[in-house]
Amino acid sequence: MKKTNVRQMTMTAVLAALAFAAVALIRIPVVMFLSYEPKDVVITIGGFLFGPLTAFVISVLVSFVEMITISSTGWIGLIMNILSTCCFSCLAAYIYKKKKTLTGAVTGLLSGCVLMTGAMLLWNYLITPLYMGYPREAVAAMLLPVFLPFNLIKGGINGVLILLLYKPLVTALRRAHVLETPEGETQTKVHAGVILVSLALLSTLILGALALAGVI
């Protein structure tokens, strides 16, 4: 048990470092002040591996380090980052923990995307006027044409990337004896059809992001 706890703590620290690297090195502007970074992919994989509490811990750690290093939005940005990531990652990890199958993963990721999108619509309406200086009426007018599609696309891209990366990553870690196979998890390979559908959906979401950004 002690060895397992040390291994989990080590993996959590590594995932936190990777999540921070993801937000520090890969930040793609999409529309206005909204940008895409893949840190939620790393955090959610951590949640799938060790549970929703681990996803929460990594989210708080990464958001705090981001605030004191590369972010200019201060405590408000910290709160928004934690809310967004936890709504997506913690819910997805919780549902996957209850049903460790492809269906459970897809259900969790879809649920996390919906919850994150709804929460961000509310919190952007409440908080964006405070730190961006926009009139609340202007923010309200942007909820459906800007914030709604951005968060749906962001959550969709994250979900597809997780589906593509999680199983190969876990398989590699288990073969290297870094991870043990948890009880109750179904050991199945990702079928080629799932990969093709995921890639098609990812392409569609990227095109949607480009359209939202006005590139196409």
Side-chain angles (χ1 to χ4, degrees):
M1 177 65 78
K2 184 176 181 180
K3 183 178 180 181
T4 301
N5 289 338
V6 171
R7 183 179 298 171
Q8 180 174 337
M9 290 175 61
T10 302
M11 283 293 298
T12 299
V14 170
L15 289 168
L18 289 174
F20 177 73
V23 71
L25 300 177
I26 308 173
R27 182 169 295 201
I28 304 171
V30 177
V31 59
M32 299 177 59
F33 57 86
L34 302 172
S35 60
Y36 172 79
E37 68 277 335
K39 70 175 181 181
D40 287 359
V41 174
V42 181
I43 294 172
T44 307
I45 287 176
F48 275 22
L49 289 173
F50 302 118
L53 180 59
T54 295
F56 173 77
V57 170
I58 298 175
S59 173
V60 172
L61 287 174
V62 173
S63 297
F64 181 76
V65 174
E66 181 182 351
M67 180 190 72
I68 63 177
T69 55
I70 61 175
S71 177
S72 60
T73 55
W75 286 100
I76 293 178
L78 170 72
I79 294 170
M80 293 291 279
N81 279 329
I82 293 174
L83 284 171
S84 175
T85 299
C86 287
C87 285
F88 179 80
S89 300
C90 293
L91 179 59
Y94 175 78
I95 293 175
Y96 182 68
K97 183 179 180 180
K98 297 295 183 181
K99 189 175 183 180
K100 293 191 173 183
T101 62
L102 177 61
T103 300
V106 172
T107 302
L109 292 169
L110 286 174
S111 300
C113 181
V114 171
L115 178 60
M116 179 196 69
T117 299
M120 287 301 98
L121 288 178
L122 172 62
W123 285 99
N124 273 294
Y125 175 75
L126 295 174
I127 293 181
T128 297
L130 301 180
Y131 78 97
M132 292 301 297
Y134 294 159
R136 194 171 300 279
E137 294 78 11
V139 174
M142 293 188 294
L143 291 179
L144 295 182
V146 176
F147 292 107
L148 177 63
F150 170 78
N151 283 288
L152 287 174
I153 290 171
K154 174 184 174 182
I157 290 175
N158 286 337
V160 173
L161 289 176
I162 291 162
L163 288 177
L164 291 172
L165 295 174
Y166 177 70
K167 187 61 69 174
L169 175 63
V170 169
T171 300
L173 291 174
R174 286 174 182 162
R175 286 177 178 172
H177 304 291
V178 176
L179 289 177
E180 297 178 354
T181 302
E183 184 179 351
E185 182 166 347
T186 304
Q187 294 300 301
T188 57
K189 294 182 179 179
V190 179
H191 296 292
V194 174
I195 295 176
L196 291 175
V197 170
S198 297
L199 291 174
L201 181 56
L202 180 61
S203 300
T204 303
L205 291 166
I206 291 173
L207 289 174
L210 292 174
L212 187 61
V215 175
I216 59 174

